[in-house]
């Protein structure tokens, strides 16, 4: 968290690679990394939607950062 607070006045957005998970840092946008896999992008996206659903059901769909 402190990293994001230090750069907040200098950078508008940052990016993570946790797919469809929500982030407690509003301007840290998570994305699906498709370039490092050998599978087709549509298959990777389906996996991330499935993972989001499972994580949502278990209450683990949000990235919570400690200081």
């Amino acid at each position: 968290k402190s990293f994001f607070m230090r750069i907040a006045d200098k950078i508008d957005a940052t990016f993570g690679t946790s797919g469809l998970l929500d982030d407690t840092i509003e301007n840290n946008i998570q994305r699906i990394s498709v370039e490092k896999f050998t599978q087709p992008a549509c298959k990777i996206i389906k996996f991330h939607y499935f993972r989001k659903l499972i994580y949502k059901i278990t209450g683990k769909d949000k990235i919570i950062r400690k200081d």
Side-chain angles (χ1 to χ4, degrees), residues 1-40:
K1 249 185 196 180
S2 60
F3 167 75
F4 294 102
M5 293 171 79
R6 284 195 317 264
I7 65 168
D9 61 338
K10 298 173 185 80
I11 297 176
D12 294 328
T14 55
F15 297 90
T17 56
S18 291
L20 299 173
L21 299 181
D22 294 329
D23 200 322
T24 53
I25 307 296
E26 291 182 18
N27 63 338
N28 190 43
I29 303 160
Q30 298 300 322
R31 67 180 189 89
I32 297 171
S33 177
V34 295
E35 62 273 359
K36 65 181 179 181
F37 296 101
T38 57
Q39 308 248 346

Side-chain angles (χ1 to χ4, degrees), residues 53-62 64:
L53 177 65
I54 297 299
Y55 279 27
K56 191 159 190 74
I57 290 169
T58 60
K60 298 179 180 179
D61 64 325
K62 188 167 215 148
I64 299 174

Side-chain angles (χ1 to χ4, degrees), residues 32 34-35 37-48:
I32 297 171
V34 295
E35 62 273 359
F37 296 101
T38 57
Q39 308 248 346
C42 63
K43 201 168 193 176
I44 295 167
I45 292 169
K46 285 178 186 177
F47 165 78
H48 279 277

